[in-house]
Amino acid sequence: MDFRLLRYFVAVAEELHLARAAQRLGIEQSPLSRAMRELENQLGVQLFDRSTRLTRLTWAGQVFLGECRRVQATVDQAVRSAKAAAQGYQGHLRIAICDSMVQPRIATLLARSREDEPELEIRVFEFPFAQQLKMLHDDLLDIGFALSSAVHDDLVAESVWTDPLAVIVPARHPLLAHVQVPLVEALKFPLVLCHPESGSGCRHQIQAMLQDAKTPPRVVDEVTTLGVMLTLVGAGYGIGFAIASQVQTLQSPDISIRPLAGTPPMLSTYLLRRKGEPTDPMKRFIERVKDGAAPVDDAPGL
């Protein structure tokens, strides 16, 4: 199959608008439309639902889009690896973080790795938890970072550091009367929580904390990213739970942070990889992860 057709299909599937996809690809709309019909004829399946004025993917089209993205990632990685080898790099690491996960530690870790091994090519990607699992399984990633340990049998999830969970509230809110917020008081207010299938996979950890509470939570919305959660909390939809140091990096003036009273629940960050003996660059990177696992100062009283 012509790789060009796959590239064209991804553009149309992501834009869901033939003219915009043609502009993105730098070609005319008519040959792009013919290319999509040629692709459907080659596959023997209908990729687009043309029964309405809007361009929509069929279920077959949605599945094919995911596979095309995987093929593109493989080809892109092959090109980068070849170029890196030509420039004298002696190894590479493909590392993913979740799209809803802001980790100050990871920035420090990557900076140290670049300093210790300047000849090592490190590529950083942003993928949801579920996609990380698939790409690790398919050997398209070496290491992932997520807030969930619910991995497949052929993968390993190792807790590499923990952070105290804090309460995220609107800038003017009754809970700000507490220097440290009792969980029972926090649960009197509506909650904005990460979706069970959110990018970082953090929901099951927070859910375990809420199950231990005597007051049943009132969940008013479920979001897929930390940024959306902060937007809704800042708008007064409810309160949320997150790692304070992550929230502070986004510097939103509409929210405030308070620690939970008593011994706060700890949120674990996991390093994900395939089972088996890691490569030498992976071993050295994992050692740096373990060396840098000291707690980050959350300064939660902002």
Side-chain angles (χ1 to χ4, degrees), residues 40-230:
E40 289 180 319
N41 290 334
Q42 288 188 20
L43 295 174
V45 300
Q46 184 176 344
L47 299 173
F48 297 97
D49 180 2
R50 300 179 177 88
S51 62
T52 66
R53 294 179 60 186
L54 299 176
T55 302
R56 293 179 179 176
L57 287 173
T58 63
W59 172 240
Q62 294 177 43
V63 172
F64 190 60
L65 175 60
E67 295 302 322
C68 286
R69 284 170 170 163
R70 186 164 63 87
V71 170
Q72 282 190 324
T74 303
V75 173
D76 291 345
Q77 181 59 53
V79 172
R80 285 193 294 266
S81 296
K83 290 181 177 179
Q87 295 170 3
Y89 289 109
Q90 299 177 4
H92 70 270
L93 280 180
R94 301 160 298 177
I95 298 171
I97 59 175
C98 288
D99 50 6
S100 59
M101 181 175 161
V102 183
Q103 272 286 4
R105 281 193 182 91
I106 293 178
T108 301
L109 175 64
L110 293 173
R112 180 181 168 190
S113 295
R114 287 168 58 87
E115 181 178 346
D116 291 351
E117 293 187 79
E119 74 284 355
L120 177 66
E121 183 199 21
I122 299 180
R123 301 292 301 179
V124 181
F125 304 90
E126 188 178 65
F127 293 125
F129 176 63
Q131 191 171 353
Q132 281 195 35
L133 299 186
K134 181 173 177 57
M135 296 187 74
L136 284 165
H137 172 78
D138 293 340
D139 197 18
L140 297 176
L141 289 175
D142 299 304
I143 288 173
F145 288 98
L147 298 175
S148 175
S149 60
V151 300
H152 306 149
D153 291 340
D154 59 342
L155 302 180
V156 176
E158 180 181 2
S159 177
V160 289
W161 55 70
T162 59
D163 296 276
L165 206 60
V167 183
I168 315 301
V169 300
R172 292 176 294 277
H173 194 273
L175 286 178
L176 292 177
H178 300 275
V179 177
Q180 295 184 330
V181 178
L183 181 59
V184 65
E185 293 297 320
L187 293 182
K188 292 179 180 178
F189 296 91
L191 299 181
V192 179
L193 297 182
C194 50
H195 193 276
E197 298 179 5
S198 68
S200 66
C202 68
R203 176 63 177 269
H204 79 280
Q205 292 194 61
I206 295 178
Q207 195 69 45
M209 173 195 73
L210 298 178
Q211 287 175 351
D212 293 337
K214 296 180 180 179
T215 304
R218 289 187 292 137
V219 180
V220 293
D221 214 331
E222 295 177 323
V223 298
T224 57
T225 68
L226 179 62
V228 175
M229 186 197 80
L230 297 185

